[in-house]
């Protein structure tokens, strides 16, 4: 006799504010989880990058080396390296353990809005207000990019990477997907300047946020519009978007979290648990599901 399949548990949403990190680095321009979700990075208006354990609220290290505010950062899959980009037009590769700058890549003609490692952390991709995406070899001493993607007609606001694809959002109103295996470019016109674009966790869809205060869920292969989400206001800020760890909820919209006065500059969803980070002003709030109990001694 076959036993019935256990019912999948309903998605839990991070509605409970667990703690607040007072980052002490001016305005927090971006907050990002590392690959396994145990740590997070905050990008500061004071030119620093900080590494935290968000659940415990502990600061682990501060990285200094940018000449202007830091706008985005990402961690490598093995947690040994970080990359960051900012208002100084530079892309910086960091050694996590020592806090030292390993390389500085220069070549962008304007501020760097977004950075990502590829899956093996052998290449850093950076998107800039100069309308280009540049691909830098993180292991070589070569000063110029190994490739430049220059199809965007306006600033590149968002770059995401999968094992064989690059997803880019641009102020020109287009979401572009580069299929590196096929050597093809796919482009979907949304119409409003795009502030963020990301893949769904299952890789089937693309979520795009834009300045018309709408989030759009697109079928990745066909470009078909699967859903539109409104209820937030965004006409002048660089809005982040994300999907929950099980693709059930979009961004922080479904939650309508009482974050407080000010603009949510950035948000990040944990890769495997119902945990959300939101950055407002100089603080980062860590949210968990209602049933979550903080570790004993977590402070």
């Amino acid at each position: 006799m076959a036993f019935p399949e256990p019912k999948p548990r309903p998605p839990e949403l991070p509605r409970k504010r667990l703690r607040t990190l007072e980052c002490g680095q001016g305005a927090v321009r971006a907050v990002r989880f590392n690959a396994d979700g145990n740590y997070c990075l905050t990008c500061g208006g004071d030119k620093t990058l900080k590494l935290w354990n968000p659940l415990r609220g502990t600061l682990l290290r501060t990285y200094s080396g940018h000449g202007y505010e830091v706008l985005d950062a990402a961690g490598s899959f093995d947690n040994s390296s970080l990359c960051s980009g900012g208002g100084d037009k530079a892309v910086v590769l960091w050694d996590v353990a020592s806090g030292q700058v390993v390389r500085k890549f220069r070549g962008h003609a304007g501020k760097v809005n977004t950075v990502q490692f590829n899956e093996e952390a052998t290449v850093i991709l950076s998107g800039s207000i100069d309308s280009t995406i540049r691909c830098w070899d993180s292991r070589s001493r070569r000063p110029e990019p190994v490739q430049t993607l220059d199809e965007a007609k306006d600033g590149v606001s968002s770059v995401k990477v999968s094992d064989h694809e690059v997803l880019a959002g641009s102020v020109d109103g287009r979401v572009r997907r580069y299929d590196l295996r096929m050597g093809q470019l796919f482009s979907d016109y949304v119409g409003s300047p795009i502030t963020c674009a990301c893949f769904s966790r299952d890789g089937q869809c693309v979520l795009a946020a834009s300045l018309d205060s709408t989030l759009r869920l697109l079928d990745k292969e066909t470009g078909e519009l699967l859903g539109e989400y409104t209820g937030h206001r965004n006409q002048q800020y660089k809005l982040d978007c994300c999907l929950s760890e099980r693709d059930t909820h979009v961004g922080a919209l479904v939650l309508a979290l009482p974050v407080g006065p000010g603009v949510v500059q950035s948000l990040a969803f944990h890769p495997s648990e119902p945990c959300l980070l939101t950055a407002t002003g100089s603080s980062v709030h860590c949210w968990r599901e209602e049933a979550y109990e903080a570790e004993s001694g977590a402070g």
Side-chain angles (χ1 to χ4, degrees):
M1 172 180 142
F3 289 101
E5 287 286 316
K7 276 188 181 170
R9 58 185 175 83
E12 297 173 280
L13 292 173
R15 299 178 186 278
K16 178 169 77 174
R17 188 176 343 199
L18 186 67
R19 69 172 64 253
T20 297
L21 308 177
E22 296 300 343
C23 299
Q25 50 188 153
V28 176
R29 295 300 182 199
V31 59
R32 303 287 180 245
F33 273 111
N34 74 323
D36 57 22
N38 291 330
Y39 306 103
C40 75
L41 296 160
T42 55
C43 303
D46 70 344
K47 313 176 194 174
T48 67
L49 184 62
K50 290 187 176 183
L51 179 68
W52 306 81
N53 178 324
L55 293 181
R56 290 182 174 269
T58 48
L59 174 63
L60 303 173
R61 192 175 281 282
T62 299
Y63 301 84
S64 301
H66 272 285
Y68 208 69
E69 62 181 357
V70 186
L71 297 173
D72 196 18
S76 62
F77 72 97
D78 60 0
N79 295 327
S80 67
S81 302
L82 305 174
C83 63
S84 60
D88 57 2
K89 310 178 192 174
V91 176
V92 181
L93 175 66
W94 307 84
D95 178 69
V96 168
S98 70
Q100 298 299 305
V101 173
V102 178
R103 295 281 313 280
K104 264 193 189 182
F105 301 97
R106 300 190 182 277
H108 279 297
K111 68 181 181 178
V112 177
N113 290 322
T114 178
V115 292
Q116 284 276 293
F117 281 108
N118 68 339
E119 288 203 329
E120 300 80 28
T122 53
V123 175
I124 300 168
L125 293 94
S126 56
S128 167
I129 198 171
D130 70 5
S131 309
T132 69
I133 299 168
R134 294 175 194 237
C135 309
W136 313 90
D137 185 337
S138 63
R139 299 170 302 176
S140 84
R141 291 263 158 228
R142 120 182 223 177
E144 65 279 350
V146 291
Q147 190 172 3
T148 299
L149 306 174
D150 57 4
E151 285 76 15
K153 303 292 184 283
D154 207 330
V156 176
S157 55
S158 175
V159 172
K160 296 289 188 292
V161 187
S162 72
D163 61 343
H164 68 285
E165 293 174 311
V166 175
L167 184 70
S170 170
V171 180
D172 68 10
R174 287 189 178 274
V175 178
R176 292 176 176 83
R177 179 169 59 90
Y178 298 86
D179 187 318
L180 304 179
R181 280 185 197 151
M182 306 289 290
Q184 287 180 295
L185 167 62
F186 302 91
S187 176
D188 290 309
Y189 184 62
V190 169
S192 174
I194 290 166
T195 57
C196 183
C198 64
F199 292 112
S200 58
R201 309 264 168 175
D202 65 7
Q204 301 300 304
C205 304
V206 167
L207 181 68
S210 60
L211 286 181
D212 61 359
S213 300
T214 304
L215 282 160
R216 292 173 176 84
L217 192 65
L218 307 171
D219 182 291
K220 189 183 79 174
E221 296 301 331
T222 66
E224 179 190 355
L225 182 65
L226 302 176
E228 289 190 321
Y229 307 88
T230 57
H232 59 295
R233 291 280 308 277
N234 181 45
Q235 286 157 350
Q236 61 191 103
Y237 297 102
K238 183 186 180 301
L239 178 78
D240 263 349
C241 62
C242 65
L243 282 148
S244 67
E245 87 284 7
R246 290 165 63 195
D247 280 342
T248 51
H249 289 79
V250 171
L253 298 177
V254 181
L255 299 175
L257 296 172
V259 172
V263 174
V264 177
Q265 284 276 13
S266 180
L267 49 85
F269 215 102
H270 192 286
S272 58
E273 295 175 19
C275 178
L276 179 74
L277 300 177
T278 58
T280 305
S282 59
S283 307
V284 168
H285 302 300
C286 179
W287 306 80
R288 290 294 313 221
E289 70 278 21
E290 294 286 1
Y292 181 81
E293 295 297 331
E295 304 166 42
S296 57

